[in-house]
Amino acid sequence: LYKLSSEQLSQQRHYDFGLRAVKSVLVMAGEAKRSRSDLPEDAILIGAMRDANLPKYLDDDLPLFNAIVRDLFPRSEIPMKEHKELEAGISMALRKDNKQEIPAFMNKVVQLFETFQVRFGVMLVGPPGGGKSTIYRTLQSAMNDLKEAGSQDERFQRVHTHVLNPKSVTMGELYGEVNKLTQEWKNGLASSIMREVIKDASEDKHWVTFDGPVDALWIENMNTVLDDNMTLCLSNGERIKLKSEMRMLFEVQDLEVASPATVSRVGIVFVAPSQLGYLPYLHSWILRYTEPTKDEKKGDGDPLVAEKEVLVLPDS
Ligand SMILES: Nc1ncnc2c1ncn2[C@@H]1O[C@H](COP(=O)(O)OP(=O)(O)OP(=O)(O)O)[C@@H](O)[C@H]1O
Ligand SMILES: [Mg+2]
């Protein structure tokens, strides 16, 4: 399957069909086997192969991939995984945040959740405005809500995000450096965040989010983090061992300059703007301005709101 996929699908920098990808399939299959022991083993394996790969494909490659799976395993009918609880949580989180419940968008949130289960580092890849930030924020708020509502599923825990832009600071400021004049060690942004996070002894999850372009320099230091040993090595020889509750989340536009070593270490969720379109954005915008208008009718709005109403009404 992987050989055919790498030959027939389009060439993308974020596609990877190496051994690490196979390992994540095995982890996923193992989990599925434990939770659904009624299914035959080959169906579980094929399902895991499909679920591990779908998140990263472009829209055009999806039918091709499905065709390859059908050709290779013509007789097996593999049920889709169910996420009733999570989907309810996502719907609630979207409504609370005045966002539209687009099926393709909610599917991406579920895929992000699934990828988080099998990978330590996850990249949300896609052009600007595709809803990458909204996807992880929605998942975060859905998981918080589910935990609050007393969900039995231990995968839902309270989530904290730590967002930083790796390209807005220098390498030294990111990971720490030795001051050349005083020979003193100065802590970096990423390393101090991680040091803070590992002090937390609770079950809460922490997502360290790198929101900004990937380049070969800063991401190479993350390679040891994204490995199975999960250790951040700093240039003063210090090693920070990260916890399994943590996740590294990268929000990037493309992986043009990322090395294959990095790409193979992370799980990838591709977010195409075409899945969202502009309509949800418009609907949310209209809703945002129509609600104050009701207050205005009651007589406790301010004149500014009235002005916005004039702007909005012709559209709606
Ligand atoms: N389901 C939705 N319904 C309504 N509006 C949405 C939805 N998802 C995203 N949006 C809106 O689309 C806009 C772009 O989303 P977002 O900021 O998440 O994109 P992004 O991919 O993170 O962009 P960037 O690459 O610039 O960081 C936001 O204003 C967000 O409010
Ligand atoms: Mg964003």
Side-chain angles (χ1 to χ4, degrees):
L1 176 72
Y2 275 42
K3 184 161 179 292
L4 282 178
S5 301
S6 60
E7 282 166 4
Q8 299 190 0
L9 302 185
S10 67
Q11 295 288 326
Q12 301 291 334
R13 287 302 293 252
H14 66 263
Y15 287 4
D16 161 56
F17 300 102
L19 274 181
R20 286 202 180 88
V22 176
K23 185 194 155 213
S24 72
V25 169
L26 292 181
V27 175
M28 215 172 219
E31 196 191 314
K33 175 83 186 158
R34 279 187 289 277
S35 63
R36 307 205 42 187
S37 44
D38 52 316
L39 284 176
E41 234 162 60
D42 47 351
I44 288 184
L45 207 54
I46 299 167
M49 258 189 288
R50 183 194 55 199
D51 294 341
N53 282 303
L54 284 188
K56 64 171 172 250
Y57 287 143
L58 306 190
D59 289 354
D60 297 340
D61 283 335
L62 284 178
L64 285 176
F65 179 74
N66 287 333
I68 296 176
V69 172
R70 262 200 312 278
D71 283 353
L72 288 180
F73 313 104
R75 250 169 312 197
S76 43
E77 194 52 48
I78 309 125
M80 278 302 201
K81 259 199 194 167
E82 291 196 343
H83 293 276
K84 286 215 181 69
E85 205 178 3
L86 180 64
E87 273 164 18
I90 294 172
S91 296
M92 202 168 81
L94 284 177
R95 271 199 302 273
K96 213 165 62 178
D97 202 24
N98 184 20
K99 293 277 175 344
Q100 306 300 312
E101 296 169 48
I102 313 291
F105 179 83
M106 293 171 65
N107 190 20
K108 281 289 160 197
V109 183
V110 174
Q111 287 181 349
L112 177 66
F113 175 77
E114 290 227 314
T115 316
F116 265 140
Q117 301 306 312
V118 291
R119 296 280 197 156
F120 187 69
V122 179
M123 279 191 185
L124 283 164
V125 186
K132 300 186 292 297
S133 308
T134 318
I135 285 179
Y136 80 79
R137 285 192 200 288
T138 307
L139 181 61
Q140 177 188 17
S141 107
M143 284 170 71
N144 285 347
D145 290 348
L146 286 171
K147 171 77 181 165
E148 215 113 287
S151 163
Q152 295 301 313
D153 198 328
E154 65 201 26
R155 291 175 304 173
F156 303 132
Q157 298 291 343
R158 200 160 288 114
V159 178
H160 307 275
T161 48
H162 311 267
V163 187
L164 59 115
N165 181 347
K167 289 295 278 179
S168 65
V169 292
T170 63
M171 278 284 284
E173 285 163 347
L174 191 61
Y175 294 115
E177 64 190 338
V178 175
N179 187 324
K180 291 218 174 63
L181 295 175
T182 61
Q183 296 295 316
E184 264 176 66
W185 172 255
K186 191 159 164 291
N187 251 329
L189 182 60
S191 46
S192 37
I193 288 180
M194 297 194 190
R195 204 169 285 135
E196 270 312 302
V197 169
I198 51 175
K199 284 189 200 142
D200 181 6
S202 68
E203 296 262 277
D204 292 6
K205 295 199 185 290
H206 292 268
W207 299 346
V208 184
T209 309
F210 296 83
D211 186 347
V214 165
D215 74 12
L217 284 178
W218 72 266
I219 197 94
E220 291 304 312
N221 276 31
M222 298 295 291
N223 282 355
T224 50
V225 174
L226 301 171
D227 267 342
D228 287 342
N229 43 6
M230 303 193 297
T231 316
L232 180 67
C233 302
L234 301 179
S235 56
N236 64 344
E238 188 184 344
R239 316 177 102 219
I240 304 181
K241 177 99 179 98
L242 304 181
K243 300 198 309 171
S244 53
E245 282 85 17
M246 290 173 67
R247 288 290 180 272
M248 302 290 129
L249 181 65
F250 304 88
E251 193 190 318
V252 294
Q253 181 177 350
D254 55 42
L255 292 173
E256 282 311 312
V257 290
S259 67
T262 309
V263 174
S264 68
R265 279 175 168 85
V266 293
I268 299 225
V269 180
F270 183 78
V271 186
S274 57
Q275 285 160 347
L276 200 61
Y278 68 91
L279 277 177
Y281 190 75
L282 181 68
H283 289 314
S284 293
W285 184 70
I286 290 172
L287 273 180
R288 190 163 82 219
Y289 287 120
T290 39
E291 265 160 32
T293 339
K294 284 181 207 144
D295 295 342
E296 220 263 331
K297 282 195 188 114
K298 276 186 241 147
D300 50 3
D302 61 340
L304 266 181
V305 177
E307 234 168 71
K308 280 173 191 154
E309 184 192 14
V310 178
L311 270 176
V312 171
L313 279 181
D315 279 345
S316 55

